[in-house]
């Protein structure tokens, strides 16, 4: 049985660059239906430095003292999986084709340059859960803690839990893809092991 992991943004104590949508952008869950039939975001994102002090969160346009500006898995105000061209290429090369994914491109700006990033969109609801072991909120289909069924994961390298939006930060990958990501030294990613039975 292969281990599976939830992809997350790597956090640390140092300030970081996060890609921000324009101020008047709808909440991310409302944006998803607006993107039906589109393969690029209708707006651009701007990198903002985020830091924390005793008064809370500090935002700044000055990225000059950051160690790392462009991450392969870029934090962003939409809380969407925003992948560099390199990460998209590596992920795409390792998909089976059964995942039902297409990609939405997004332009991200710093004061010095503009780069293209990609958001995976899952167009098929995948049957991946072990329903007996998964924890749900009583009387609903809302998942508290997913437990995946190894016999259902065979044809997927990357997947989401059922009932998630097509675009979600809750992306899971198999160990094989995790090893490739680590070998290729993709930046900005941490992995949280999830339960598979």
């Amino acid at each position: 049985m292969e281990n599976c992991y939830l992809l997350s943004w790597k956090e640390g104590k140092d300030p970081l660059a996060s890609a921000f949508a324009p101020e008047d952008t709808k909440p991310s869950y409302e944006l998803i239906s607006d993107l039906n039939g589109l393969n690029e975001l209708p707006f651009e994102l701007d990198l903002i430095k985020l830091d924390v002090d005793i008064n809370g969160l500090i935002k700044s346009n000055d990225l000059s003292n950051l160690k790392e500006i462009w991450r392969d898995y870029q934090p962003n105000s939409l809380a969407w999986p925003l992948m560099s061209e390199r990460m998209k290429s590596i992920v795409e090369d390792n998909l089976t084709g059964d995942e039902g994914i297409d990609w939405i491109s997004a332009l991200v700006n710093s004061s010095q340059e503009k780069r293209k990033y990609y958001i995976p969109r899952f167009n098929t609801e995948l049957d991946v859960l072990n329903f007996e072991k998964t924890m749900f909120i009583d009387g609903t289909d809302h998942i508290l803690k997913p437990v995946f069924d190894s016999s259902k994961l065979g044809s997927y390298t990357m997947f989401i839990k059922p009932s998630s939006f097509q675009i979600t930060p809750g992306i899971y990958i198999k160990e094989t893809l995790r090893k490739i990501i680590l070998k290729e030294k993709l930046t900005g990613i941490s992995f949280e092991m999830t339960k598979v039975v």
Side-chain angles (χ1 to χ4, degrees), residues 6 129 133-147 161-163 172 192 194:
L6 174 66
L129 290 181
K133 305 245 182 205
T134 293
M135 291 173 57
F136 293 91
I137 295 173
D138 284 343
T140 74
D141 63 353
H142 297 292
I143 298 166
L144 278 174
K145 187 167 182 149
V147 176
K161 58 190 177 189
S163 304
Y172 298 85
E192 180 185 326
T194 190

Side-chain angles (χ1 to χ4, degrees), residues 17-156:
S18 182
F20 271 72
E23 289 286 326
D24 59 350
T25 303
K26 291 180 184 179
S28 55
Y29 64 89
E30 288 181 16
L31 268 177
I32 293 170
S33 60
D34 291 352
L35 294 173
N36 285 341
L38 299 179
N39 288 97
E40 63 182 51
L41 278 186
F43 53 82
E44 296 182 6
L45 303 164
D46 293 314
L47 286 180
I48 303 287
K49 180 173 85 172
L50 297 181
D51 201 358
V52 179
D53 70 6
I54 56 170
N55 298 317
L57 189 65
I58 304 165
K59 291 182 185 177
S60 167
N61 291 320
D62 180 11
L63 307 174
S64 62
N65 64 346
L66 292 177
K67 293 178 194 167
E68 183 178 48
I69 295 173
W70 301 102
R71 294 178 172 205
D72 290 304
Y73 201 54
Q74 190 73 46
N76 62 90
S77 64
L78 297 169
W80 282 353
L82 195 57
M83 300 181 186
S84 68
E85 290 196 65
R86 185 165 172 255
M87 183 172 181
K88 174 201 181 250
S89 177
I90 289 167
V91 167
E92 207 167 35
D93 287 349
N94 289 282
L95 295 176
T96 65
D98 293 332
E99 293 90 351
I101 293 171
D102 72 344
W103 300 87
I104 298 168
S105 66
L107 289 175
V108 180
N109 303 307
S110 76
S111 59
Q112 306 293 317
E113 66 178 300
K114 184 179 291 204
R115 291 193 186 181
K116 193 178 273 194
Y117 276 75
Y118 295 88
I119 302 156
R121 175 171 47 197
F122 289 79
N123 296 301
T124 307
E125 188 165 302
L126 306 176
D127 177 18
V128 290
L129 290 181
N130 179 303
F131 284 96
E132 291 173 15
K133 305 245 182 205
T134 293
M135 291 173 57
F136 293 91
I137 295 173
D138 284 343
T140 74
D141 63 353
H142 297 292
I143 298 166
L144 278 174
K145 187 167 182 149
V147 176
F148 297 103
D149 190 323
S150 62
S151 67
K152 296 177 177 181
L153 295 176
S155 60
Y156 310 125

Side-chain angles (χ1 to χ4, degrees), residues 166-193:
Q166 291 175 299
I167 302 170
T168 174
I171 291 182
Y172 298 85
I173 62 169
K174 285 185 174 173
E175 177 73 37
T176 49
L177 182 53
R178 177 180 172 268
K179 285 180 178 173
I180 293 165
I181 287 170
L182 291 170
K183 181 180 175 219
E184 295 293 332
K185 295 183 169 55
L186 295 178
T187 60
I189 309 165
S190 67
F191 308 92
E192 180 185 326
M193 192 181 284

